[in-house]
Amino acid sequence: MTTTRFAPSPTGYLHIGNLRTALFNYLIARKAGGTFILRIDDTDPERSRPEYVDAIREDLTWLGLTWDREETQSARLDRYEAAADKLRDASRLYEAFETPVELDLKRKKQLNMGKPPVYDRSALKLSEDERAALKTERSGHWRFLLDHERITWTDGILGDLSIDAASVSDPVLIRGDGQMLYTLASVVDDVEMGVTHVVRGSDHVTNTATQIQIIAALGGQAPDFAHHSLLTGPQGEGLSKRLGTLSLRDLRAEGVEPMAVVSLMARLGSSDPVELHGSMDEVIEGFDPGRFGAAPTKFDRDDLGPLTAKYLHGLPVDDVAMDLTEAGVPQDQATQFWDTIRENVETRRDIASWWALIRDGATPVIEDEDRDFVAEAMTLLPEAPWDATSWSTWTGAVKEATGRKGRGLFMPLRKALTGQSQGPDMGRLMPFLRRPKL
Ligand code: GLU
């Protein structure tokens, strides 16, 4: 049974990069009819916040990413302790006492000597007395003893990978203050929760190598791993600093539609073209992780605008019923109004703007050179209420009286009636409008 998980740390709001990970795992589970777990990686009590947990749930729900099960790491600390004991019993976990400053110094020395900055395992060489002396001074942290062999796996996106364990420091699993670190907690959860596929960012490749050994040491079965490339900006620039400004809730506040985000992210960086999907089922159907490449994926926030607009243009009136009601559109005019404006909305917020223009009347815009023309046209404007023929009747009469035609005829009249140079078909809009106060 396919089981995947999305495992955010609740230390901030989800951004577009996190979404990529969430979406891939979600789609794999749904496509296989499996289980998708939301796992809250909150073993860091200082940085984790309950309000971010709520925000994560809210953002995923907004996107339509439903989960079958929720797990919280802070509620499973005893499981990680048990695993740590097991590793100690197998002599795969050892206590080390270097301070961060000492470790930093060691790394610098190694680098100066042209050596890779890998932890030198000094802790293993301590005598009993030295160890006892250090223990009275400070609490030690716990490192996993890597087997110095090549760690290999076939990555679902990157293909065959091989990492020399000797090129990696023995990972710290438990901090000096007793805090369980992600590397162990994640492995214990993946094994005990029967996770079969893990998709995460390529910044986790080295973690994966060490986790494969930890899983084996715990007697578990490693899941299939796939590492997607990291997002860059449109020019290939790193996004990490800007990701804070690309939070899902900011996109939502800007009026971006969830289906636009999901459609883009389910294809960006793959060999398939981006296409707008109408429903999550369609996205699930068309998803294939094997079609994604290793190269960094360029993300342009501006791509979400046209996709959002296109999505909205195709929506039936029932799907915008709430927005219409909130904007104050009377029920009996809802369908006609939506059909009139739908091609002209870029976000749902435009629904209220168009209705406000109709309800409150527009401030006419008249260019100086059009003053006489518009004044004359107004004398020919039939009395409101107008119907579907009013615009053509009126513009026909104005054309005849003034000799103007085409854009020179229509544009000043549109601007006089709506205050805008663009907008819905005037013939359809006229029945909603009122005579401008000139
Ligand atoms: N909490 C980890 C992170 O957000 C999870 C990584 C993983 O998927 O294993 O980076």
Side-chain angles (χ1 to χ4, degrees):
M1 161 92 147
T2 299
T3 300
T4 64
R5 67 356 181 238
F6 173 50
S9 304
T11 53
Y13 293 120
L14 294 184
H15 52 65
I16 197 81
N18 304 129
L19 166 68
R20 194 154 194 242
T21 312
L23 186 63
F24 284 17
N25 285 294
Y26 168 84
L27 293 173
I28 289 171
R30 289 288 172 263
K31 196 160 184 180
T35 302
F36 177 58
I37 302 174
L38 171 61
R39 191 182 84 198
I40 305 296
D41 280 7
D42 60 348
T43 51
D44 182 343
E46 263 152 48
R47 294 180 57 230
S48 301
R49 297 257 185 287
E51 56 269 32
Y52 288 131
V53 179
D54 292 339
I56 287 166
R57 291 192 197 112
E58 203 179 286
D59 290 343
L60 293 179
T61 304
W62 171 65
L63 286 161
L65 268 60
T66 51
W67 54 100
D68 307 298
R69 198 169 134 191
E70 186 174 322
E71 298 284 352
T72 305
Q73 288 197 324
S74 58
R76 293 175 44 82
L77 297 177
D78 56 338
R79 307 299 313 159
Y80 313 142
E81 291 293 354
D85 284 342
K86 199 166 168 185
L87 294 177
R88 276 188 201 102
D89 289 347
S91 304
R92 296 299 295 275
L93 199 59
Y94 64 94
E95 196 172 17
F97 295 91
E98 291 87 352
T99 63
V101 176
E102 286 167 353
L103 288 172
D104 201 40
L105 212 66
K106 279 189 192 209
R107 271 194 293 268
K108 284 197 179 118
K109 269 193 198 152
Q110 287 167 313
L111 286 171
N112 276 344
M113 282 157 48
K115 285 191 186 159
V118 175
Y119 177 59
D120 60 7
R121 294 182 164 174
S122 307
L124 290 177
K125 291 158 211 143
L126 293 173
S127 68
E128 278 308 312
D129 289 350
E130 285 169 327
R131 184 182 305 277
L134 280 167
K135 259 180 176 312
T136 60
E137 273 172 38
R138 47 183 108 147
S139 47
H141 50 274
W142 293 83
R143 287 184 186 265
F144 178 74
L145 185 69
L146 286 168
D147 236 344
H148 282 174
E149 56 175 17
R150 286 203 87 81
I151 305 166
T152 58
W153 76 94
T154 303
D155 192 278
I157 292 173
L158 302 176
D160 286 336
L161 289 186
S162 154
I163 289 186
D164 180 3
S167 70
V168 182
S169 295
D170 287 338
V172 177
L173 302 189
I174 307 172
R175 282 203 332 195
D177 62 3
Q179 187 185 316
M180 284 292 165
L181 291 181
Y182 151 78
T183 309
L184 177 63
S186 183
V187 154
V188 173
D189 289 346
D190 286 340
V191 170
E192 293 188 2
M193 294 172 194
V195 170
T196 57
H197 295 74
V198 170
V199 183
R200 53 192 177 195
S202 51
D203 49 336
H204 280 290
V205 165
T206 311
N207 282 337
T208 297
T210 61
Q211 287 183 342
I212 285 173
Q213 280 204 3
I214 301 171
I215 293 170
L218 289 171
Q221 164 114 34
D224 286 349
F225 289 102
H227 294 85
H228 60 70
S229 64
L230 300 183
L231 295 181
T232 69
Q235 256 56 262
E237 71 278 22
L239 259 197
S240 54
K241 287 207 187 71
R242 279 189 39 217
L243 280 173
T245 64
L246 290 169
S247 77
L248 298 177
R249 49 195 44 222
D250 286 348
L251 296 178
R252 171 156 48 124
E254 287 159 22
V256 170
E257 286 293 314
M259 208 34 79
V261 183
V262 166
S263 296
L264 181 66
M265 297 317 285
R267 284 288 171 81
L268 204 64
S270 82
S271 45
D272 294 319
V274 171
E275 55 183 332
L276 178 69
H277 290 292
S279 71
M280 192 59 97
D281 284 345
E282 264 179 55
V283 181
I284 295 168
E285 184 63 31
F287 182 72
D288 180 357
R291 301 191 55 86
F292 285 80
T297 300
K298 287 187 180 150
F299 169 77
D300 190 345
R301 192 242 165 272
D302 291 346
D303 289 343
L304 292 170
L307 284 169
T308 290
K310 193 169 169 198
Y311 175 76
L312 291 172
H313 299 170
L315 282 188
V317 67
D318 287 348
D319 289 3
V320 287
M322 271 240 294
D323 306 274
L324 292 168
T325 308
E326 274 169 25
V329 182
Q331 202 116 49
D332 60 343
Q333 296 180 49
T335 304
Q336 197 192 343
F337 175 66
W338 177 238
D339 285 344
T340 302
I341 65 152
R342 64 203 277 164
E343 295 285 336
N344 292 90
V345 299
E346 283 176 12
T347 72
R348 282 178 201 254
R349 284 178 301 190
D350 294 343
I351 296 175
S353 320
W354 281 112
W355 186 253
L357 180 136
I358 283 157
R359 187 192 54 218
D360 306 333
T363 308
V365 171
I366 303 167
E367 308 299 335
D368 279 345
E369 69 265 27
D370 292 327
R371 281 207 181 277
D372 294 345
F373 166 72
V374 172
E376 187 178 352
M378 284 302 149
T379 65
L380 296 166
L381 181 60
E383 280 312 309
W386 298 313
D387 62 22
T389 63
S390 303
W391 174 254
S392 60
T393 312
W394 180 39
T395 51
V398 176
K399 181 178 176 181
E400 191 148 334
T402 64
R404 284 216 199 187
K405 51 186 190 230
R407 206 180 141 81
L409 169 69
F410 298 119
M411 187 53 82
L413 299 183
R414 173 185 281 280
K415 291 202 309 208
L417 254 55
T418 68
Q420 323 238 354
S421 53
Q422 277 177 5
D425 176 75
M426 284 301 291
R428 304 184 79 153
L429 196 57
M430 273 292 268
F432 291 103
L433 296 176
R434 55 174 79 188
R435 178 178 278 271
K437 294 182 204 75
L438 290 172

